[in-house]
Amino acid sequence: MELTVCIERERSTLQVQCTGTTVNDLLKQLQLNPEAVLVVRNQEVLIEKELLHEKDTLEILSVISGG
Amino acid sequence: MGCHRCAEKAVIELQHGAVCKKHFLEHFEERVFWTIRRYRMIGPKDTLCVALSGGKDSLSVLYLTKKYLQKQGLKNEIEALAIDEGISGYREKTLEDAKMFCTEQKIPLKIVSFQEELGKPLDEAYPLITKDTKKKPCNLCGVWRRYLLNKHAREMGFTKVITGHNLDDEAQAIMMNVFKANTDLAGRLGPISGKKEHELFVQRVKPLYFCPEKEVRLYAFLKGFQIDFTECPYSHTGYRHDLQEMLNAFEQKYKGTKQGIINSFLALLPHLKQSQTITKISSCSSCGEAATGEVCNACTMKVMLHA
């Protein structure tokens, strides 16, 4: 499914063809550790098992910040 | 997936089950308040200085310390202290968030800078000091930051410095000391650190000690704290960055790793403290602050700037 993904740490937005169906699948595809990110859709935080939908716009917030 | 307590939509899966926003916020706050009580971090006569960087940890700990005082009906004085290291493109942004937050929370904020206090911002100081040493920017930054926090907190008359160190920070520090065989330094870690009774030291306490970094980030997001994502440009140069990635990889595969590190450490801490080398603290001959030798580390590094 096609997703729009805004990655906070890189200040970039990607169009991603997600091969899976869940948040966990997306993070694996993007090689991101769930320990290090929060995934947000329409200002709501999603857990790893949450199902994604075609044309979702997601923000991936970095947990690690600062020095 | 629903919250295991109320069936509302879950925002995070904790070890005991998935929880919704309401129950996560309650759980997070109650754990911080428990930590403050359990380790007696705030006494009735304590005056509190919150070390504030403007990031998620320090904003959260400032907010929760104030909330704890209100909840307990305590009237302790509380102020915030921020250190401007002079890291271009990073610190200016977080200090703006810090100022705005303190205005909203009606908490006084003092800002001190490396430039004013020590003669140079970190960006200029670091290359001068490392030309003859192998020190990373974090070595210099850490020494000067702790020096200024202690000095100003003491001069302003505070009895406790509150920092936003979280479970991840502590687990990393513990493992760094293990890997480097720094057993003496290890004894200085814990929910409360620093000399308890010494006229030159202000004790430091860490209410977020048992809070994983991911939960702190979630808390700050759900509370709507204005935090512009920033990362110190020097953070990838340090040993800690590699350790952080290693621990996160372990935690992903083996849930509970970081908590296990903390639990083991706390069980060993009394023994580490007992076997610590007793270090005589004297007054630095240059600045009068605490020193283990004739001159303190901060002044030693200042001398290198002008060598």
Side-chain angles (χ1 to χ4, degrees):
Chain A
M1 66 180 85
E2 191 170 317
L3 306 169
T4 302
V5 179
C6 309
I7 302 184
E8 180 187 50
R9 191 187 198 123
E10 294 162 17
R11 301 192 201 278
S12 65
T13 302
L14 311 171
Q15 297 304 316
V16 176
Q17 198 65 350
C18 182
T19 53
T21 56
T22 65
V23 167
N24 199 35
D25 293 335
L26 174 66
L27 294 178
K28 274 190 186 152
Q29 186 174 331
L30 296 176
Q31 296 183 301
L32 293 172
N33 186 335
E35 285 299 307
V37 297
L38 288 182
V39 179
V40 176
R41 179 175 60 197
N42 299 328
Q43 290 298 305
E44 280 194 347
V45 178
L46 306 180
I47 60 172
E48 290 169 53
K49 291 173 187 163
E50 187 79 37
L51 288 173
L52 299 174
H53 308 302
E54 182 73 36
K55 297 201 192 313
D56 268 347
T57 297
L58 304 168
E59 282 179 271
I60 298 187
L61 307 180
S62 183
V63 160
I64 300 164
S65 61
Chain B
M1 179 185 258
C3 172
H4 78 282
R5 291 177 63 180
C6 71
E8 283 291 311
K9 193 169 189 300
V11 295
I12 190 169
E13 283 186 271
L14 301 176
Q15 282 208 292
H16 54 271
V19 288
C20 65
K21 174 178 174 177
K22 171 177 176 284
H23 288 115
F24 168 74
L25 293 176
E26 278 176 9
H27 156 83
F28 188 91
E29 292 185 356
E30 192 42 49
R31 183 177 44 201
V32 173
F33 299 157
W34 175 88
T35 303
I36 293 172
R37 288 191 303 266
R38 165 69 180 83
Y39 291 93
R40 298 181 188 175
M41 292 181 172
I42 299 174
K45 294 185 183 168
D46 274 324
T47 50
L48 311 172
C49 175
V50 180
L52 195 71
S53 67
K56 66 180 188 305
D57 302 294
S58 61
L59 296 194
S60 297
V61 85
L62 177 62
Y63 176 84
L64 285 166
T65 301
K66 185 181 167 191
K67 187 166 182 173
Y68 177 82
L69 295 178
Q70 286 168 342
K71 198 177 169 204
Q72 301 295 317
L74 298 171
K75 305 286 181 206
N76 302 65
E77 184 187 335
I78 176 171
E79 291 188 19
L81 174 62
I83 308 293
D84 180 359
E85 304 95 342
I87 301 174
S88 179
Y90 166 60
R91 190 49 83 204
E92 311 101 321
K93 297 176 196 172
T94 68
L95 284 178
E96 283 310 307
D97 290 336
K99 285 177 198 168
M100 197 160 64
F101 195 78
C102 285
T103 302
E104 285 167 11
Q105 297 296 319
K106 298 185 175 52
I107 291 179
L109 169 65
K110 180 176 179 180
I111 302 174
V112 300
S113 72
F114 279 15
Q115 172 75 67
E116 285 165 6
E117 300 280 330
L118 299 161
K120 283 207 187 296
L122 186 71
D123 286 345
E124 291 177 24
Y126 154 62
L128 292 172
I129 287 181
T130 54
K131 68 178 164 53
D132 293 322
T133 69
K134 287 185 182 167
K135 291 195 186 298
K136 299 268 171 72
C138 306
N139 294 137
L140 172 60
C141 186
V143 167
W144 280 3
R145 204 146 37 106
R146 283 189 295 273
Y147 170 86
L148 290 176
L149 274 174
N150 188 72
K151 176 175 180 266
H152 284 272
R154 200 195 67 249
E155 285 176 356
M156 294 194 297
F158 291 105
T159 60
K160 295 275 173 70
V161 169
I162 294 178
T163 68
H165 288 95
N166 57 53
L167 184 140
D168 285 51
D169 294 325
E170 189 78 351
Q172 290 157 25
I174 290 165
M175 294 313 295
M176 279 167 67
N177 286 327
V178 169
F179 288 174
K180 295 184 176 188
N182 283 335
T183 46
D184 249 22
L185 283 182
R188 297 185 201 173
L189 296 173
I192 299 178
S193 56
K195 296 281 179 190
K196 189 177 177 185
E197 280 156 21
H198 193 289
E199 57 181 0
L200 291 176
F201 278 117
V202 181
Q203 204 167 46
R204 292 183 297 276
V205 298
K206 306 167 191 171
L208 303 186
Y209 192 81
F210 294 100
C211 300
E213 187 161 23
K214 180 163 179 168
E215 290 187 31
V216 182
R217 184 67 175 95
L218 179 60
Y219 181 81
F221 177 82
L222 294 176
K223 294 299 286 186
F225 295 159
Q226 169 56 41
I227 301 168
D228 190 22
F229 170 75
T230 50
E231 196 169 24
C232 178
Y234 297 118
S235 61
H236 292 270
T237 64
Y239 188 94
R240 186 183 277 270
H241 174 74
D242 291 340
L243 196 65
Q244 188 178 59
E245 292 205 334
M246 184 194 81
L247 284 181
N248 276 343
F250 250 77
E251 187 71 31
Q252 183 185 7
K253 202 171 173 188
Y254 307 106
K255 290 274 180 243
T257 294
K258 294 173 196 171
Q259 185 66 59
I261 291 171
I262 297 297
N263 292 349
S264 300
F265 173 74
L266 289 176
L268 289 170
L269 186 56
H271 306 284
L272 288 168
K273 284 193 182 299
Q274 253 188 343
S275 62
Q276 253 183 320
T277 309
I278 297 171
T279 311
K280 191 170 177 298
I281 305 292
S282 55
S283 178
C284 172
S285 60
S286 178
C287 70
E289 294 298 315
T292 52
E294 194 186 322
V295 177
C296 72
N297 281 345
C299 287
T300 302
M301 289 180 177
K302 269 170 76 176
V303 165
M304 289 183 196
L305 290 181
H306 305 289

